[in-house]
């Protein structure tokens, strides 16, 4: 059982990333062979600062390590260190439908939000993401709900490849958390909490101070009612119930039962306190891990070496199946 997932280094990571993805990565270490990477190559699909990128890659890596990723028990690396990802991207483009790429919600949303250039990289992002997973022949991809369409596309790509060139790739399954697969922005609960979009006040960062977290939850947008129940016309309170359920490991119904009749104010404070407890240990470990850059470099180098060993084997098979020399000239 092989598990693969990647996370972007853009900006600082938020509670949605933590519940939707990072917590599942940590859990995956117990269930199978976890392969996780910081997908820095994906960061270039929107406007970004190349001088800040190396730093934000380390920031993100330190968050994952502080959350409990253990480089001894999983393969943890930086995407741009393993060139097989980019080579496989090009090869997979032969079996990727252009029309599918233009239909991706993320492409539509993010291209609409770009003020200057809408790069071809933004359109191409799902092909790189497919290559990230398929190059490891992973069985499972833990991601948030927003990635469903990309996971379906990567499954189509793998199936089309296998049908056209012979069974070489594993068709992976997405794995979405039962509760908290789509955490919404606290100020704009119709929109997902996001690293690059979203409102600053409505985005709870993993490394936010307790008092900041409390303030963000206390000012969360809710409807005019007072009942703590999930409903389509109550996106704000529904989101808070999901967050409470996810961070306390309970069913949303049990949260509704406990806070029945307690009012929004008290509920918001209780959610904030539960989130502060949930993220506290990560924040406590973060500084020490982030401060030791030579150690982070060492972890990346060792991880990339292990990743390359798997990825290069897949590439050899794929190249051969597609009619390219099995061994490259000069190797
Ligand atoms: P952006 O909005 O710029 O794409 P992001 O917040 O989605 O950034 P990513 O690095 O793209 O960050 O996502 C990392 C993981 O977090 C992915 O598996 C994604 O599905 C998950 N994720 C992102 N936002 C949420 C959210 N609001 N709720 C649950 N999971 C999320
Ligand atoms: Mg994203």
């Amino acid at each position: 059982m092989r598990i693969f997932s990647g996370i972007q280094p853009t900006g600082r990571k938020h509670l949605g990333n933590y519940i939707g993805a990072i917590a599942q990565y940590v859990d995956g270490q117990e269930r199978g062979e976890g392969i996780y990477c910081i997908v820095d190559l994906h960061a270039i699909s929107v406007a970004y600062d190349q001088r800040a990128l190396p730093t934000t890659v380390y920031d993100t890596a330190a968050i994952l390590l502080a959350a409990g990723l253990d480089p001894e028990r999983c393969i943890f690396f930086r995407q741009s260190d393993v060139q097989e990802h980019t080579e496989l991207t090009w090869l997979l483009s032969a079996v990727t439908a252009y029309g599918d790429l233009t239909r991706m919600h993320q492409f539509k949303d993010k291209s609409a939000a770009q003020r200057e250039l809408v790069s071809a990289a933004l359109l191409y992002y799902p092909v790189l993401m497919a290559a990230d997973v398929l190059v490891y022949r992973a069985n499972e991809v833990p991601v948030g709900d927003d990635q469903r369409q990309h996971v379906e596309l990567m499954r189509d790509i793998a199936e089309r490849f296998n049908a056209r060139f012979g069974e070489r790739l594993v068709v992976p399954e997405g794995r979405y958390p039962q509760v908290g697969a789509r955490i919404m922005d606290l100020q704009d609960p119709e929109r997902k909490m996001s690293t690059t979009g979203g409102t600053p006040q409505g985005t709870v960062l993993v490394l936010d101070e307790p008092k900041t977290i409390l303030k963000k939850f206390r000012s969360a947008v809710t409807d005019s009612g007072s009942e703590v129940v999930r409903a389509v016309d109550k996106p704000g309170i529904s989101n808070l119930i999901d967050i409470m359920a996810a961070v306390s490991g309970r069913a949303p119904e049990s949260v509704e039962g406990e806070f029945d009749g307690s009012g929004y104010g008290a509920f918001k404070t209780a959610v904030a306190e539960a989130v502060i407890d949930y993220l506290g240990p990560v924040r406590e470990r973060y500084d020490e891990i982030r401060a030791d850059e030579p150690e982070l470099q060492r972890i990346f180098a060792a991880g990339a070496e292990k990743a390359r060993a798997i990825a290069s084997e897949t590439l050899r098979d794929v190249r051969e199946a597609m009619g390219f020399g099995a061994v490259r000239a000069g190797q």
Side-chain angles (χ1 to χ4, degrees):
M1 165 73 161
R2 193 174 274 164
I3 301 168
F4 176 91
S5 199
I7 190 160
Q8 293 207 62
T10 33
R12 287 161 299 159
K13 303 319 282 186
H14 55 75
L15 183 62
N17 298 137
Y18 201 91
I19 293 172
I22 299 171
Q24 297 202 80
Y25 301 172
V26 177
D27 174 63
Q29 299 181 123
E30 309 293 331
R31 294 187 303 107
E33 183 189 0
I35 306 180
Y36 304 115
C37 78
I38 310 290
V39 290
D40 52 349
L41 294 171
H42 283 274
I44 69 168
S45 57
V46 293
Y48 80 106
D49 177 358
Q50 68 272 27
R51 285 155 309 188
L53 186 60
T55 311
T56 54
V57 168
Y58 285 130
D59 296 345
T60 311
I63 290 179
L64 297 192
L65 295 168
L69 279 199
D70 175 358
E72 302 296 320
R73 285 195 300 158
C74 68
I75 301 179
F76 180 49
F77 66 104
R78 175 170 50 196
Q79 182 191 31
S80 61
D81 288 338
V82 181
Q83 292 183 1
E84 281 78 1
H85 291 236
T86 40
E87 183 173 353
L88 186 60
T89 303
W90 177 247
L91 298 178
L92 292 179
S93 59
V95 286
T96 304
Y98 165 75
D100 285 346
L101 295 180
T102 61
R103 274 192 287 276
M104 294 293 120
H105 304 307
Q106 179 173 294
F107 173 68
K108 289 185 194 164
D109 295 348
K110 289 195 179 178
S111 56
Q114 289 305 300
R115 269 183 253 123
E116 292 169 15
L117 179 75
V118 175
S119 70
L122 195 54
L123 179 71
Y124 230 68
Y125 180 113
V127 192
L128 177 59
M129 178 168 159
D132 292 338
V133 176
L134 301 180
V135 84
Y136 298 103
R137 293 177 167 135
N139 310 96
E140 194 184 278
V141 194
V143 280
D145 194 57
D146 62 308
Q147 293 302 315
R148 267 179 207 277
Q149 211 186 14
H150 291 162
V151 172
E152 284 314 308
L153 180 67
M154 79 172 63
R155 289 171 52 85
D156 290 347
I157 291 173
E159 279 166 4
R160 203 174 290 123
F161 184 96
N162 287 345
R164 169 75 178 81
F165 297 108
E167 291 285 325
R168 307 292 168 120
L169 300 175
V170 170
V171 182
E173 305 270 345
R175 184 183 170 97
Y176 311 93
Q178 283 184 325
V179 186
R182 182 179 284 266
I183 301 296
M184 310 308 275
D185 190 294
L186 300 186
Q187 290 296 318
D188 185 1
E190 309 274 1
R191 225 163 48 159
K192 88 166 184 85
M193 203 176 272
S194 159
T195 307
T196 52
T199 67
Q201 256 320 95
T203 307
V204 177
L205 300 178
V206 173
L207 300 177
D208 269 346
E209 305 239 347
K211 64 174 188 305
T212 310
I213 296 179
L214 184 63
K215 210 160 128 204
K216 287 180 178 173
F217 277 100
R218 291 206 55 91
S219 61
V221 168
T222 45
D223 54 277
S224 56
S226 64
E227 264 178 286
V228 180
V229 284
R230 285 165 306 155
V232 248
D233 61 342
K234 288 166 149 302
I237 211 73
S238 302
N239 187 37
L240 295 181
I241 293 170
D242 274 357
I243 291 173
M244 186 63 157
V247 303
S248 59
R250 292 152 64 190
E253 293 77 15
S254 126
V255 174
E256 289 170 340
E258 183 187 339
F259 291 93
D260 183 23
S262 64
Y264 287 174
F267 181 54
K268 285 180 181 179
T269 306
V271 179
E273 282 165 359
V275 169
I276 290 165
D277 286 349
Y278 181 72
L279 296 177
V282 186
R283 209 165 70 89
E284 272 164 34
R285 285 192 287 261
Y286 176 83
D287 285 339
E288 197 184 326
I289 295 172
R290 179 62 185 89
D292 193 352
E293 263 187 34
E295 174 63 6
L296 293 171
Q297 277 163 13
R298 195 196 61 73
I299 290 171
F300 274 154
E305 198 175 319
K306 290 189 230 166
R308 237 178 265 126
I310 302 172
S312 61
E313 218 170 280
T314 309
L315 249 300
R316 206 159 38 231
D317 275 3
V318 166
R319 288 172 62 91
E320 191 210 18
M322 293 182 80
F324 300 109
V327 179
R328 278 183 247 187
Q331 277 192 357

